[in-house]
Amino acid sequence: MTEISFNELVYALVEHIPYGKVLSYGRIAQMLGVPHGARAVGWAMHALVYQNRRVPWHRVVNSKGRISIKGSPEGAAAQRALLESEGVVFDDKGYLDIAYYIWDPSPVEIEKIIREARGE
DNA sequence: CTCGTGACTCCCC
DNA sequence: AGGGGAGCCACGA
């Protein structure tokens, strides 16, 4: 059987984040069974830049509720603009209320998305 | 197989 | 609040 890559699972999960909601890198890693894989998720998002996929990457922020894109001010601005267009509000320091906007699906729902991504 | 990289996090000061 | 440092991971060369 063909094992689907970690990145693909990340993308599958991100594609399910509801409009106006967000998820943190660490949370995604945890959902995929890798409690300390936050950086790996960030790497997956970064890799997305070199591909043209329709993944709502802008709905992924760091645990502090802040845009985490580095080395690309324009990219960060774009992410903020996209989120604001979905109704997300940022404070004067560039933070959004992570506790309020976080998407918290049930374990069953997460499991379903993962199985679906694996084509089962 | 080893090594460097990076859109992360937690902990301490 | 904000910055420094160590731990952690998948991917590609």
PDB file of all heavy atoms in Angstrom, chain A residues 88-110:
ATOM      1  N   VAL A  88     -12.226  37.787  10.625  1.00  0.00           N
ATOM      2  CA  VAL A  88     -11.316  37.657  11.766  1.00  0.00           C
ATOM      3  C   VAL A  88     -10.754  39.036  12.127  1.00  0.00           C
ATOM      4  O   VAL A  88     -10.323  39.777  11.254  1.00  0.00           O
ATOM      5  CB  VAL A  88     -10.145  36.705  11.426  1.00  0.00           C
ATOM      6  CG1 VAL A  88      -9.157  36.643  12.582  1.00  0.00           C
ATOM      7  CG2 VAL A  88     -10.694  35.317  11.121  1.00  0.00           C
ATOM      8  N   VAL A  89     -10.798  39.343  13.419  1.00  0.00           N
ATOM      9  CA  VAL A  89     -10.317  40.648  13.878  1.00  0.00           C
ATOM     10  C   VAL A  89      -8.958  40.566  14.573  1.00  0.00           C
ATOM     11  O   VAL A  89      -8.735  39.703  15.422  1.00  0.00           O
ATOM     12  CB  VAL A  89     -11.335  41.260  14.871  1.00  0.00           C
ATOM     13  CG1 VAL A  89     -10.815  42.594  15.390  1.00  0.00           C
ATOM     14  CG2 VAL A  89     -12.681  41.431  14.196  1.00  0.00           C
ATOM     15  N   PHE A  90      -8.045  41.463  14.216  1.00  0.00           N
ATOM     16  CA  PHE A  90      -6.714  41.503  14.822  1.00  0.00           C
ATOM     17  C   PHE A  90      -6.628  42.719  15.733  1.00  0.00           C
ATOM     18  O   PHE A  90      -7.224  43.758  15.457  1.00  0.00           O
ATOM     19  CB  PHE A  90      -5.646  41.635  13.729  1.00  0.00           C
ATOM     20  CG  PHE A  90      -5.440  40.381  12.916  1.00  0.00           C
ATOM     21  CD1 PHE A  90      -6.321  40.078  11.868  1.00  0.00           C
ATOM     22  CD2 PHE A  90      -4.398  39.515  13.190  1.00  0.00           C
ATOM     23  CE1 PHE A  90      -6.141  38.921  11.122  1.00  0.00           C
ATOM     24  CE2 PHE A  90      -4.221  38.353  12.441  1.00  0.00           C
ATOM     25  CZ  PHE A  90      -5.088  38.055  11.406  1.00  0.00           C
ATOM     26  N   ASP A  91      -5.873  42.588  16.837  1.00  0.00           N
ATOM     27  CA  ASP A  91      -5.738  43.738  17.725  1.00  0.00           C
ATOM     28  C   ASP A  91      -4.602  44.613  17.190  1.00  0.00           C
ATOM     29  O   ASP A  91      -3.977  44.304  16.195  1.00  0.00           O
ATOM     30  CB  ASP A  91      -5.462  43.294  19.163  1.00  0.00           C
ATOM     31  CG  ASP A  91      -4.136  42.556  19.293  1.00  0.00           C
ATOM     32  OD1 ASP A  91      -3.265  42.715  18.421  1.00  0.00           O
ATOM     33  OD2 ASP A  91      -3.994  41.817  20.282  1.00  0.00           O
ATOM     34  N   ASP A  92      -4.308  45.682  17.901  1.00  0.00           N
ATOM     35  CA  ASP A  92      -3.290  46.621  17.431  1.00  0.00           C
ATOM     36  C   ASP A  92      -1.876  46.054  17.390  1.00  0.00           C
ATOM     37  O   ASP A  92      -0.981  46.657  16.828  1.00  0.00           O
ATOM     38  CB  ASP A  92      -3.325  47.875  18.298  1.00  0.00           C
ATOM     39  CG  ASP A  92      -3.111  47.549  19.763  1.00  0.00           C
ATOM     40  OD1 ASP A  92      -3.390  46.399  20.172  1.00  0.00           O
ATOM     41  OD2 ASP A  92      -2.638  48.430  20.486  1.00  0.00           O
ATOM     42  N   LYS A  93      -1.696  44.888  18.005  1.00  0.00           N
ATOM     43  CA  LYS A  93      -0.358  44.292  17.999  1.00  0.00           C
ATOM     44  C   LYS A  93      -0.256  43.129  17.015  1.00  0.00           C
ATOM     45  O   LYS A  93       0.736  42.412  17.000  1.00  0.00           O
ATOM     46  CB  LYS A  93      -0.003  43.815  19.400  1.00  0.00           C
ATOM     47  CG  LYS A  93       0.191  44.965  20.374  1.00  0.00           C
ATOM     48  CD  LYS A  93       0.353  44.462  21.791  1.00  0.00           C
ATOM     49  CE  LYS A  93       0.402  45.666  22.742  1.00  0.00           C
ATOM     50  NZ  LYS A  93       0.276  45.223  24.154  1.00  0.00           N
ATOM     51  N   GLY A  94      -1.319  42.949  16.231  1.00  0.00           N
ATOM     52  CA  GLY A  94      -1.283  41.884  15.237  1.00  0.00           C
ATOM     53  C   GLY A  94      -1.703  40.514  15.736  1.00  0.00           C
ATOM     54  O   GLY A  94      -1.417  39.508  15.100  1.00  0.00           O
ATOM     55  N   TYR A  95      -2.373  40.491  16.894  1.00  0.00           N
ATOM     56  CA  TYR A  95      -2.819  39.208  17.429  1.00  0.00           C
ATOM     57  C   TYR A  95      -4.316  39.017  17.187  1.00  0.00           C
ATOM     58  O   TYR A  95      -5.076  39.974  17.152  1.00  0.00           O
ATOM     59  CB  TYR A  95      -2.595  39.158  18.944  1.00  0.00           C
ATOM     60  CG  TYR A  95      -1.155  39.051  19.375  1.00  0.00           C
ATOM     61  CD1 TYR A  95      -0.422  40.214  19.643  1.00  0.00           C
ATOM     62  CD2 TYR A  95      -0.551  37.807  19.532  1.00  0.00           C
ATOM     63  CE1 TYR A  95       0.909  40.119  20.067  1.00  0.00           C
ATOM     64  CE2 TYR A  95       0.768  37.706  19.961  1.00  0.00           C
ATOM     65  CZ  TYR A  95       1.494  38.862  20.225  1.00  0.00           C
ATOM     66  OH  TYR A  95       2.799  38.763  20.641  1.00  0.00           O
ATOM     67  N   LEU A  96      -4.724  37.745  17.041  1.00  0.00           N
ATOM     68  CA  LEU A  96      -6.147  37.455  16.909  1.00  0.00           C
ATOM     69  C   LEU A  96      -6.471  36.588  18.120  1.00  0.00           C
ATOM     70  O   LEU A  96      -5.592  35.958  18.695  1.00  0.00           O
ATOM     71  CB  LEU A  96      -6.426  36.709  15.590  1.00  0.00           C
ATOM     72  CG  LEU A  96      -5.769  35.350  15.321  1.00  0.00           C
ATOM     73  CD1 LEU A  96      -6.473  34.235  16.061  1.00  0.00           C
ATOM     74  CD2 LEU A  96      -5.820  35.086  13.819  1.00  0.00           C
ATOM     75  N   ASP A  97      -7.719  36.558  18.522  1.00  0.00           N
ATOM     76  CA  ASP A  97      -8.124  35.787  19.700  1.00  0.00           C
ATOM     77  C   ASP A  97      -8.157  34.295  19.348  1.00  0.00           C
ATOM     78  O   ASP A  97      -9.183  33.772  18.941  1.00  0.00           O
ATOM     79  CB  ASP A  97      -9.508  36.256  20.157  1.00  0.00           C
ATOM     80  CG  ASP A  97      -9.893  35.619  21.490  1.00  0.00           C
ATOM     81  OD1 ASP A  97      -9.318  34.560  21.836  1.00  0.00           O
ATOM     82  OD2 ASP A  97     -10.757  36.186  22.179  1.00  0.00           O
ATOM     83  N   ILE A  98      -7.008  33.642  19.522  1.00  0.00           N
ATOM     84  CA  ILE A  98      -6.883  32.233  19.164  1.00  0.00           C
ATOM     85  C   ILE A  98      -7.932  31.351  19.844  1.00  0.00           C
ATOM     86  O   ILE A  98      -8.493  30.451  19.226  1.00  0.00           O
ATOM     87  CB  ILE A  98      -5.461  31.714  19.511  1.00  0.00           C
ATOM     88  CG1 ILE A  98      -5.282  30.283  19.005  1.00  0.00           C
ATOM     89  CG2 ILE A  98      -5.205  31.783  20.993  1.00  0.00           C
ATOM     90  CD1 ILE A  98      -5.233  30.148  17.513  1.00  0.00           C
ATOM     91  N   ALA A  99      -8.208  31.627  21.095  1.00  0.00           N
ATOM     92  CA  ALA A  99      -9.200  30.828  21.826  1.00  0.00           C
ATOM     93  C   ALA A  99     -10.590  30.939  21.217  1.00  0.00           C
ATOM     94  O   ALA A  99     -11.375  29.994  21.256  1.00  0.00           O
ATOM     95  CB  ALA A  99      -9.231  31.272  23.286  1.00  0.00           C
ATOM     96  N   TYR A 100     -10.877  32.087  20.646  1.00  0.00           N
ATOM     97  CA  TYR A 100     -12.195  32.325  20.054  1.00  0.00           C
ATOM     98  C   TYR A 100     -12.320  31.766  18.645  1.00  0.00           C
ATOM     99  O   TYR A 100     -13.344  31.196  18.276  1.00  0.00           O
ATOM    100  CB  TYR A 100     -12.484  33.827  20.038  1.00  0.00           C
ATOM    101  CG  TYR A 100     -13.821  34.185  19.437  1.00  0.00           C
ATOM    102  CD1 TYR A 100     -15.006  34.036  20.173  1.00  0.00           C
ATOM    103  CD2 TYR A 100     -13.908  34.634  18.113  1.00  0.00           C
ATOM    104  CE1 TYR A 100     -16.240  34.325  19.600  1.00  0.00           C
ATOM    105  CE2 TYR A 100     -15.142  34.933  17.535  1.00  0.00           C
ATOM    106  CZ  TYR A 100     -16.303  34.772  18.277  1.00  0.00           C
ATOM    107  OH  TYR A 100     -17.517  35.062  17.710  1.00  0.00           O
ATOM    108  N   TYR A 101     -11.280  31.932  17.850  1.00  0.00           N
ATOM    109  CA  TYR A 101     -11.328  31.490  16.456  1.00  0.00           C
ATOM    110  C   TYR A 101     -10.867  30.061  16.196  1.00  0.00           C
ATOM    111  O   TYR A 101     -11.016  29.540  15.097  1.00  0.00           O
ATOM    112  CB  TYR A 101     -10.489  32.430  15.587  1.00  0.00           C
ATOM    113  CG  TYR A 101     -11.027  33.839  15.527  1.00  0.00           C
ATOM    114  CD1 TYR A 101     -10.354  34.892  16.148  1.00  0.00           C
ATOM    115  CD2 TYR A 101     -12.221  34.126  14.843  1.00  0.00           C
ATOM    116  CE1 TYR A 101     -10.836  36.199  16.088  1.00  0.00           C
ATOM    117  CE2 TYR A 101     -12.714  35.416  14.774  1.00  0.00           C
ATOM    118  CZ  TYR A 101     -12.017  36.452  15.402  1.00  0.00           C
ATOM    119  OH  TYR A 101     -12.513  37.727  15.343  1.00  0.00           O
ATOM    120  N   ILE A 102     -10.275  29.423  17.210  1.00  0.00           N
ATOM    121  CA  ILE A 102      -9.755  28.068  17.022  1.00  0.00           C
ATOM    122  C   ILE A 102     -10.829  27.076  16.574  1.00  0.00           C
ATOM    123  O   ILE A 102     -11.968  27.128  17.052  1.00  0.00           O
ATOM    124  CB  ILE A 102      -9.116  27.556  18.334  1.00  0.00           C
ATOM    125  CG1 ILE A 102      -8.326  26.275  18.083  1.00  0.00           C
ATOM    126  CG2 ILE A 102     -10.190  27.278  19.379  1.00  0.00           C
ATOM    127  CD1 ILE A 102      -7.077  26.467  17.271  1.00  0.00           C
ATOM    128  N   TRP A 103     -10.455  26.193  15.659  1.00  0.00           N
ATOM    129  CA  TRP A 103     -11.394  25.169  15.168  1.00  0.00           C
ATOM    130  C   TRP A 103     -11.109  23.925  15.994  1.00  0.00           C
ATOM    131  O   TRP A 103      -9.996  23.440  16.004  1.00  0.00           O
ATOM    132  CB  TRP A 103     -11.143  24.887  13.686  1.00  0.00           C
ATOM    133  CG  TRP A 103     -12.026  23.801  13.140  1.00  0.00           C
ATOM    134  CD1 TRP A 103     -13.366  23.687  13.320  1.00  0.00           C
ATOM    135  CD2 TRP A 103     -11.627  22.690  12.337  1.00  0.00           C
ATOM    136  NE1 TRP A 103     -13.830  22.570  12.668  1.00  0.00           N
ATOM    137  CE2 TRP A 103     -12.791  21.932  12.059  1.00  0.00           C
ATOM    138  CE3 TRP A 103     -10.408  22.252  11.809  1.00  0.00           C
ATOM    139  CZ2 TRP A 103     -12.768  20.767  11.276  1.00  0.00           C
ATOM    140  CZ3 TRP A 103     -10.384  21.098  11.036  1.00  0.00           C
ATOM    141  CH2 TRP A 103     -11.548  20.369  10.768  1.00  0.00           C
ATOM    142  N   ASP A 104     -12.104  23.430  16.705  1.00  0.00           N
ATOM    143  CA  ASP A 104     -11.905  22.290  17.584  1.00  0.00           C
ATOM    144  C   ASP A 104     -12.812  21.112  17.245  1.00  0.00           C
ATOM    145  O   ASP A 104     -13.798  20.859  17.929  1.00  0.00           O
ATOM    146  CB  ASP A 104     -12.131  22.747  19.029  1.00  0.00           C
ATOM    147  CG  ASP A 104     -11.717  21.659  20.014  1.00  0.00           C
ATOM    148  OD1 ASP A 104     -10.720  20.980  19.756  1.00  0.00           O
ATOM    149  OD2 ASP A 104     -12.419  21.489  21.027  1.00  0.00           O
ATOM    150  N   PRO A 105     -12.480  20.396  16.172  1.00  0.00           N
ATOM    151  CA  PRO A 105     -13.280  19.251  15.729  1.00  0.00           C
ATOM    152  C   PRO A 105     -13.145  18.061  16.682  1.00  0.00           C
ATOM    153  O   PRO A 105     -12.165  17.960  17.410  1.00  0.00           O
ATOM    154  CB  PRO A 105     -12.708  18.947  14.352  1.00  0.00           C
ATOM    155  CG  PRO A 105     -11.256  19.278  14.517  1.00  0.00           C
ATOM    156  CD  PRO A 105     -11.300  20.575  15.308  1.00  0.00           C
ATOM    157  N   SER A 106     -14.137  17.177  16.666  1.00  0.00           N
ATOM    158  CA  SER A 106     -14.090  15.997  17.534  1.00  0.00           C
ATOM    159  C   SER A 106     -13.093  14.985  16.986  1.00  0.00           C
ATOM    160  O   SER A 106     -12.794  14.996  15.797  1.00  0.00           O
ATOM    161  CB  SER A 106     -15.471  15.351  17.584  1.00  0.00           C
ATOM    162  OG  SER A 106     -15.774  14.774  16.320  1.00  0.00           O
ATOM    163  N   PRO A 107     -12.585  14.122  17.851  1.00  0.00           N
ATOM    164  CA  PRO A 107     -11.619  13.089  17.434  1.00  0.00           C
ATOM    165  C   PRO A 107     -12.185  12.253  16.296  1.00  0.00           C
ATOM    166  O   PRO A 107     -11.456  11.845  15.386  1.00  0.00           O
ATOM    167  CB  PRO A 107     -11.429  12.270  18.709  1.00  0.00           C
ATOM    168  CG  PRO A 107     -11.598  13.292  19.792  1.00  0.00           C
ATOM    169  CD  PRO A 107     -12.787  14.092  19.301  1.00  0.00           C
ATOM    170  N   VAL A 108     -13.474  12.005  16.362  1.00  0.00           N
ATOM    171  CA  VAL A 108     -14.130  11.207  15.322  1.00  0.00           C
ATOM    172  C   VAL A 108     -14.048  11.915  13.973  1.00  0.00           C
ATOM    173  O   VAL A 108     -13.768  11.304  12.944  1.00  0.00           O
ATOM    174  CB  VAL A 108     -15.624  10.972  15.668  1.00  0.00           C
ATOM    175  CG1 VAL A 108     -16.310  10.224  14.535  1.00  0.00           C
ATOM    176  CG2 VAL A 108     -15.725  10.186  16.966  1.00  0.00           C
ATOM    177  N   GLU A 109     -14.296  13.211  13.998  1.00  0.00           N
ATOM    178  CA  GLU A 109     -14.250  13.993  12.770  1.00  0.00           C
ATOM    179  C   GLU A 109     -12.839  14.002  12.194  1.00  0.00           C
ATOM    180  O   GLU A 109     -12.634  13.898  10.981  1.00  0.00           O
ATOM    181  CB  GLU A 109     -14.710  15.428  13.064  1.00  0.00           C
ATOM    182  CG  GLU A 109     -14.935  16.250  11.813  1.00  0.00           C
ATOM    183  CD  GLU A 109     -15.644  17.568  12.135  1.00  0.00           C
ATOM    184  OE1 GLU A 109     -15.967  17.809  13.322  1.00  0.00           O
ATOM    185  OE2 GLU A 109     -15.854  18.350  11.210  1.00  0.00           O
ATOM    186  N   ILE A 110     -11.866  14.141  13.088  1.00  0.00           N
ATOM    187  CA  ILE A 110     -10.467  14.164  12.657  1.00  0.00           C
ATOM    188  C   ILE A 110     -10.107  12.828  12.009  1.00  0.00           C
ATOM    189  O   ILE A 110      -9.501  12.781  10.942  1.00  0.00           O
ATOM    190  CB  ILE A 110      -9.535  14.392  13.871  1.00  0.00           C
ATOM    191  CG1 ILE A 110      -9.807  15.784  14.468  1.00  0.00           C
ATOM    192  CG2 ILE A 110      -8.072  14.283  13.445  1.00  0.00           C
ATOM    193  CD1 ILE A 110      -9.081  16.036  15.770  1.00  0.00           C
TER     194      ILE A 110
END
